[in-house]
Amino acid sequence: MQTRRRLLEAACRVFAEKGFHAARVADICRRARTNVAAVNYHFGGKAALYVEAWRHAFSLAKPSVAQIPEDWPPEKRLRAFVEDLLRNLLDTEANRPFSRLYLMELIHPTGLVTHLWRELIEPRRRVLLRILADLLHTDPDDPRVLLCDLSVIGQCRAPYLMQTADLEYLLRSPLSPHMVRRLVDHITRFSLAGIRGMAAETAQERSPGGLSRPPSTGPFSGQDP
Amino acid sequence: MQTRRRLLEAACRVFAEKGFHAARVADICRRARTNVAAVNYHFGGKAALYVEAWRHAFSLAKPSVAQIPEDWPPEKRLRAFVEDLLRNLLDTEANRPFSRLYLMELIHPTGLVTHLWRELIEPRRRVLLRILADLLHTDPDDPRVLLCDLSVIGQCRAPYLMQTADLEYLLRSPLSPHMVRRLVDHITRFSLAGIRGMAAETAQERSPGGLSRPPSTGPFSGQDP
DNA sequence: GAGAATTTGAAACAGGCATTTAAGGTTGTC
DNA sequence: GACAACCTTAAATGCCTGTTTCAAATTCTC
């Protein structure tokens, strides 16, 4: 139905902006130009709407990373990956749903989408680990790959951490498509240089201790719905 | 008074963990082993307690970055800066207040601490810009410095984005002092290599357009208290 | 076009939570 | 030891917000 789709899109935007807890059902309904009862009619409640909004956001975003050709050189694949993560930065109208939705769930775990994690997020991460392993001429379980993963992801998420106005303040420049391209370019080059620096280092001092334990619990362990 | 201090410390931890909005006054009081009315008696309300908690957290954290000797080589200063940002990662008992408090305010601006921004945060950022400018053999207004700033800060904040358990899952290793040291080491080296990569690049293709406008509004522009 | 099912609208409901209130207890002072 | 200032406690208040309710309206079926 029309209303249902409008609600989903509004929900993506509001949940992405505020997070599950701080998002107001009334806000979502105002943006969707509908009544609050519609949420409970179509979805059964705020929590269920949240889960559906996740699915909706991912249904728009998912294919791209998975479609990076595996025979591209790893440098090119890294750029494509970064580009994909930063794609949602603009679209202030359409929404910047996926990247920030995910970020919000990381910060305030609701426990509502744990089952979507392995289905939707883990495969993406595995793509990046593969790229990094290729760049470092090692395998994806190498501790250095995990650290580089954190570095790349951290850089890509940084712009989503703040309001657009604050990002523009930091960069001293309005957030245009051109600016996003420049960000992609920077993060890719910066990371490639960082990775090559690691590859050049002697591996001896980072071999023993620390980074070697198998995963214990799982992600999204917390919950406060 | 005793109670006042216990409240401040509990507030730091709870606000840092949940953010202003999601934090419950009752939670804070339970941790401080006091009654909910104490918050309103000693501080006048949740909002005022939040501001005082910020001040308290910063009073513990502030000196270090400011005390990095300016005559150290920039590589050494960068390491000291990163180390300072990651210091709060442990201290699960004492609290990991500053870094995550700040992060929460970035993500959900409350508008309650805008006045503390210039006083507390801007100076820290200027220290980093100076370091990066020295490393790039340029001045702190160079657009490349701003991009590197985003990269370094993004990497340093990444560990604070998630619950400890999730970070340990990503790193496949428990979060020990040793692990934190390794993180500091990695981020410093990775960034130094990235920065040197940028410095080596031809400056021509990143000179015109984009990154050149003076700050328009200010940070923490939003508010939803 | 009549009747039935589905969807929407406005208002009432209920629970959670910050804040207030007023009484009781503690500490310091003369 | 009495008084006063300060602090703590438990219960009450009132607001905000997700959910429910039920009537009105729309859409679908025959």
Side-chain angles (χ1 to χ4, degrees), chain B residues 109-128:
Chain B
T110 63
L112 296 172
V113 286
T114 317
H115 58 291
L116 294 179
W117 172 280
R118 296 213 176 272
E119 179 189 341
L120 300 171
I121 309 260
E122 273 292 329
R124 297 175 74 96
R125 182 169 183 238
R126 226 168 281 127
V127 169
L128 179 56

Side-chain angles (χ1 to χ4, degrees), chain B residues 24 43 60 119 192:
Chain B
R24 300 290 155 226
F43 299 94
L60 305 174
E119 179 189 341
L192 281 176

Side-chain angles (χ1 to χ4, degrees), chain A residues 15-19 61 81-92 95-104 106-107 124 152-168 170-171 175 180 183-184 187, chain B residues 103-109 150 154 157 161:
Chain A
F15 282 134
E17 189 183 340
K18 309 253 188 178
F81 191 93
V82 170
E83 193 170 11
D84 183 71
L85 279 194
L86 292 187
R87 175 163 302 144
N88 312 123
L89 250 189
L90 288 172
D91 306 37
T92 48
N95 55 20
R96 48 176 183 176
F98 155 46
S99 296
R100 187 150 161 126
L101 260 186
Y102 168 42
L103 183 61
M104 287 307 204
L106 257 192
I107 293 174
R124 299 175 74 95
V152 172
I153 295 286
Q155 288 179 81
C156 292
R157 281 212 267 257
Y160 292 101
L161 286 179
M162 46 198 112
Q163 313 299 109
T164 303
D166 295 343
L167 181 60
E168 294 181 334
L170 281 192
L171 292 175
L175 197 59
V180 173
L183 269 174
V184 171
I187 293 176
Chain B
L103 182 60
M104 286 307 203
E105 181 67 28
L106 257 192
I107 294 175
H108 303 290
L150 204 61
R157 279 213 267 259
L161 285 178

Side-chain angles (χ1 to χ4, degrees), chain B residues 177-198:
Chain B
H178 173 249
M179 190 65 237
V180 173
R181 249 177 286 126
R182 181 167 287 209
L183 267 174
V184 170
D185 192 61
H186 164 74
I187 294 176
T188 307
R189 292 183 193 221
F190 189 96
S191 299
L192 281 176
I195 293 162
R196 290 202 187 103
M198 293 208 75

Side-chain angles (χ1 to χ4, degrees), chain A residues 17-173:
Chain A
E17 189 183 340
K18 309 253 188 178
F20 175 75
H21 194 92
R24 299 290 153 225
V25 173
D27 280 7
I28 295 172
C29 292
R30 198 175 315 121
R31 287 213 206 192
R33 299 190 308 282
T34 186
N35 192 279
V36 286
V39 166
N40 298 287
Y41 177 76
H42 285 284
F43 299 94
K46 186 184 180 182
L49 172 60
Y50 182 68
V51 177
E52 287 307 309
W54 259 66
R55 283 199 188 281
H56 181 69
F58 271 94
S59 75
L60 305 173
K62 191 183 175 189
S64 40
V65 157
Q67 283 167 2
I68 297 175
E70 297 196 10
D71 55 351
W72 279 8
E75 290 83 0
K76 195 172 176 185
R77 278 183 284 152
L78 181 64
R79 174 178 299 270
F81 191 93
V82 170
E83 193 170 11
D84 183 71
L85 279 194
L86 292 187
R87 175 163 302 144
N88 312 123
L89 250 189
L90 288 172
D91 306 37
T92 48
E93 187 45 44
N95 55 20
R96 48 176 183 176
F98 155 46
S99 296
R100 187 150 161 126
L101 260 186
Y102 168 42
L103 183 61
M104 287 307 204
E105 181 66 28
L106 257 192
I107 293 174
H108 303 290
T110 63
L112 295 173
V113 287
T114 317
H115 59 290
L116 293 178
W117 171 280
R118 296 212 177 272
E119 178 188 341
L120 300 170
I121 310 258
E122 275 292 329
R124 299 175 74 95
R125 184 169 181 237
R126 227 167 282 128
V127 169
L128 179 56
L129 291 181
R130 177 81 259 157
I131 295 171
L132 295 172
D134 288 352
L135 285 167
L136 284 165
H137 306 296
T138 181
D139 61 294
D141 291 325
D142 189 320
R144 294 175 300 161
V145 171
L146 302 179
L147 289 170
C148 288
D149 170 51
L150 204 61
S151 288
V152 172
I153 295 286
Q155 288 179 81
C156 292
R157 281 212 267 257
Y160 292 101
L161 286 179
M162 46 198 112
Q163 313 299 109
T164 303
D166 295 343
L167 181 60
E168 294 181 334
Y169 170 80
L170 281 192
L171 292 175
R172 297 181 194 166
S173 166

